Amino acid sequence: MPVVTLPDGSQRQFDSAVTVADVAADIGPGLAKAALAGRLDGQLVDTSAPIEADASLAIITSRDEEGLEIIRHSTAHLLAQAVQQLFPDTQVTIGPVIEDGFFYDFAREQPFTPDDLEAIEGKMKEIADADLPITRHVMARDEAIRYFKELGEHYKAEIIEDIPGDEPISLYGQGDWMDLCRGPHAPSTGRLKVFKLTSVAGAYWRGDARNAMLQRIYGTAWPDKKALKQYLVRLEEAEKRDHRRIGRELDLFSIQDEAGGGLVFWHPKGARIRRVMEDFWREQHVAAGYELLYTPHIALQTLWDTSGHTDFYRESMYHAIEEDNQLYQLKPMNCPFHVLVYKNQLRSYRELPMRWAELGTVYRHEMSGALHGLMRVRGFTQDDAHVFCREEQIADEIVHILDLTLGMLDAFGFDEYSVMLSTRPEKAVGSDEIWDKATVALRQALETKGLSFTIDEGGGAFYGPKIDIKIKDAIGREWQCSTIQLDFNLPERFEMEYVGEDGERHRPIMIHRALLGSIERFFGILIEHYEGRFPAWLAPEQAVILNITDQQAEYALKVQESLKNQGFRVNVDLRNEKIGRKIREHTLQRIPYLLITGDREVDASTVAVRTREGKDLGSISIDAFAERLRAEIASRGRTIMEE
């Protein structure tokens, strides 16, 4: 007679074993209709999962985050079934949930066309309307491999061969179609009504360019039509803001095939923005009490053995380079280098906290299929910093880091964010006592700042708890940028010490933190956030001076010289073109201010000021414009830590 405890603490008793669906029906017909899955004793299960003993249960619906994932994962299977019904010679590979949707990779010689996508979507709707039950089956490992090989599904067989031998092999069937999956899934295809296929692209099997090229179909799925419509509008807006397209149009950066994928070339305009970003970053860190470091790009592999990177991070590291019978490694992280600087001499408790920051370029081996503009690259500059402190200093240092982080994000135009505190995972280094103290310190710091946050139980790194901050951009997308991580591991591995007030040797606490994440990725986010319309303090060109005829050319050059001498980024366009054309071209280049010089402006020593939005600010003196621009720049480029 199982007793089921619900999230509100209420209990329901049954005379015999029941399923998750039975419990939902016992609660009410509305919930029975809405139920997609259950969280049974903390584990996600299908609605058909049996409950034979006392248990805790939460019914998952489309209102839950897990419910939306189940809808999307089930819709990926719906896509695969539709593809194989229309194109029987196609092999299926993997179809995971991604942000806002899903994709499925297919092995097929002939490329999918836009007409194919339309036909596939139509077939998906047919299968959904058929309301086929989705059922789970468990097979023995060898039986499952044989089953898929007999179907000609060699990719599925390869996946099963890589699954640890002690894991059950589960398959999900809908009608006469079956796919390998851990689940859970929606109870039937009839629950999958609101979806849209969005695009098709190439993708290497397992993201490795040495493997076969597959075809990836992207799609999205939502609980209702209103949510889908809102997403499609957002998707259209995101395409308009694509940093790769805007980067080409504004000549900001490029990625050159001749040099290799994932390596960024900063063009003059993009480099100007980067210089402003980095100068601002350095100013704020110096004001916040950090010392700036510069460290090498390469080190002996033995250093990475000591740090543990060759054990835990090998797949993301490039192959070692042999020189003088020794192996050297391109750095994937900056932290071991900062540890070596710390260990260069014995430290005293009086020196702590020590705050060291570096714009350090690192190199990580990313699969070619994962590369994406500035968002996923192989060489990037991390805005890295490490704080070495005593246990009792943790809370104050975290508050200090949060002040700097939130202030800098606000200066770049991000004032909406979500915060997550991740706690100890099952496998972790360090004593329970220090984990508890550190987690309490992080929580206290967040509460001191008045920040609302969610707890990710067990989501911390093996070496310490952490705080992650996701910023929200202009169209509501979230980006993971800032992270603050406590580390008990590296101080132990490198035997770091300081002499305490008691004269004894102690281990310092190490805090890793990145505010922007990386200069490249954050720059890509900025492009999309502003749609290339950078605020004046960041814009590569803050103003351009346009003459109407050749008679104003000399005056336009004097205006440029005056503004340049005051430190502004100003160009002049003296081409023999109509003024209307010049205005259009420079407006498309998203330059904040257009300064037009005609005969009246020359006579009055003024400029006619027009914004890139088309607003006419009238004719004002050069000094008045300079004062306006200076104030606008200062309003964002302020010294945050002095506020």
Side-chain angles (χ1 to χ4, degrees), residues 483-502:
T483 186
I484 305 167
Q485 303 176 352
L486 298 191
D487 188 353
F488 318 130
N489 181 52
L490 286 187
E492 192 68 34
R493 280 180 170 267
F494 281 94
E495 298 181 344
M496 299 174 68
E497 294 179 331
Y498 68 90
V499 178
E501 197 170 2
D502 57 4

Side-chain angles (χ1 to χ4, degrees), residues 84 88-93 107 144-158:
Q84 291 200 309
D89 60 335
T90 303
Q91 287 190 65
V92 292
T93 63
I145 293 173
R146 184 168 56 253
Y147 172 79
F148 281 107
K149 283 186 175 179
E150 288 175 353
L151 290 176
E153 299 285 2
H154 301 292
Y155 290 94
K156 289 293 181 185
E158 183 179 332

